[in-house]
Amino acid sequence: MLKKSSPLALLTLLAAPAVTLAQDRPALPLWELGLVGGAISQQAYPGADEQVNRGLVLPWFVYRGEFLRADRNSLGVRAYKSRDVEVDVGVSGAFGSSADDIEARRGMPDLGTLVEFGPRVTWKLGEAAGGRWRAELPLRGVFDVSDGGAGRGLAFEPELQFERAAGGGWRYSTSVSAIFANRKLADTFYGVAPQYATPTRRAYTAESGLVAWRLSTTVTRALTPEWRLFGYARLQSVAGAANRDSPLVRKTTGGSVGVALVYTWKQSERRAVD
């Protein structure tokens, strides 16, 4: 998702995959309810030369129904599942921010709160090197709820993931992904309309194609049955990106880090099917 590294990532969406990984064992509860609190320092958007720092405490909810799922980065409906392949239709999103908070975008329209909706194919590749490999292929429409649900384009982010348990109760996940956007979505982030051009920011029309490469790592550890620690780091690069020449791109490589503490308040006695 393009906006996961834009001004404010939704902390619960970042924590969701870590919570799932930390509890990756048979007979998980059908649902869990609790709180997640943490802090994030992230690159404002791929190519930005500024960091955005946030701290949040939010409720989180996991539901592992046969069809309805609130798990692993999204909220949606699982349409198909076999031993190796799963197809779901999901929703995810992230908060927006004021353009005045980012010097490169000052005076331009704000980046609104975006919601994504669309299908995702997950392909389980098997076990190797002491862990499990998985590929995810999400294709989603992007909509701006700050602007009456106006369409902002399409995003595609193929991702290769590796998960493994380590010593001392730690588990980790690493992934490599690439983000692609159509012209409309790319222009939302990298386009500069003529009326927003300045002596130091020329007018620019964005192109469809590669937005950024990403290398991500998450680590988790169960401290008690109710408390879990979560850490997150991401390195992303716009090297070779379609809009590398946009005046809004000021840095080729940037990073994001986050830490969170997850508390499970309630969980169901009933176990999930998978």
Side-chain angles (χ1 to χ4, degrees):
M1 174 183 177
L2 179 58
K3 204 154 185 284
K4 278 184 180 176
S5 285
S6 40
L8 177 59
L10 189 58
L11 185 60
T12 48
L13 292 180
L14 289 177
V19 172
T20 303
L21 177 61
Q23 297 183 335
D24 199 0
R25 59 182 186 271
L28 293 168
L30 178 63
W31 58 263
E32 298 180 55
L33 180 64
L35 292 172
V36 54
I40 302 170
S41 176
Q42 59 183 18
Q43 192 177 17
Y45 55 87
D49 61 352
E50 295 184 54
Q51 296 289 118
V52 176
N53 304 311
R54 303 284 183 175
L56 290 174
V57 177
L58 295 171
W60 68 270
F61 178 67
V62 173
Y63 184 80
R64 305 181 181 93
E66 183 177 359
F67 299 106
L68 180 63
R69 312 286 289 187
D71 206 354
R72 284 195 183 277
N73 268 344
S74 66
L75 168 67
V77 176
R78 184 166 64 188
Y80 172 80
K81 184 180 186 299
S82 68
R83 188 186 68 174
D84 298 322
V85 177
E86 184 173 324
V87 180
D88 64 18
V89 179
V91 178
S92 61
F95 295 143
S97 73
S98 170
D100 290 339
D101 293 337
I102 306 169
E103 193 276 331
R105 298 187 61 90
R106 195 153 295 154
M108 296 181 62
D110 296 340
L111 294 173
T113 298
L114 301 186
V115 171
E116 294 186 351
F117 176 80
R120 175 180 59 178
V121 177
T122 301
W123 182 19
K124 298 176 184 178
L125 303 176
E127 298 187 4
R132 289 174 298 176
W133 295 83
R134 179 173 63 248
E136 292 192 355
L137 304 171
L139 175 64
R140 288 174 174 168
V142 183
F143 305 90
D144 188 345
V145 299
S146 303
D147 190 21
R152 293 292 184 250
L154 294 171
F156 177 57
E157 186 176 355
E159 182 175 8
L160 178 65
Q161 301 177 2
F162 174 72
E163 300 176 353
R164 182 179 180 179
W170 291 93
R171 299 182 67 90
Y172 70 86
S173 171
T174 60
S175 68
V176 178
S177 64
I179 312 167
F180 298 88
N182 70 349
R183 182 172 178 175
K184 187 174 184 179
L185 182 57
D187 203 58
T188 298
F189 287 88
Y190 298 111
V192 180
Q195 63 267 34
Y196 301 118
T198 70
T200 58
R201 184 175 64 205
R202 71 186 188 281
Y204 181 83
T205 300
E207 301 177 1
S208 62
L210 176 68
V211 173
W213 303 95
R214 285 177 172 171
L215 175 63
S216 304
T217 299
T218 62
V219 294
T220 63
R221 188 177 190 276
L223 304 176
T224 71
E226 294 82 22
W227 292 91
R228 297 177 212 91
L229 181 66
F230 159 70
Y232 168 85
R234 169 180 287 163
L235 186 68
Q236 62 185 5
S237 173
V238 296
N243 296 288
R244 179 65 182 85
D245 293 332
S246 168
L248 302 179
V249 174
R250 297 189 172 186
K251 189 176 182 180
T252 301
T253 304
S256 302
V257 294
V259 63
L261 196 61
V262 180
Y263 171 67
T264 302
W265 176 48
K266 297 284 187 179
Q267 65 181 35
S268 66
E269 295 183 4
R270 182 181 173 185
R271 304 288 100 175
V273 175
D274 59 354

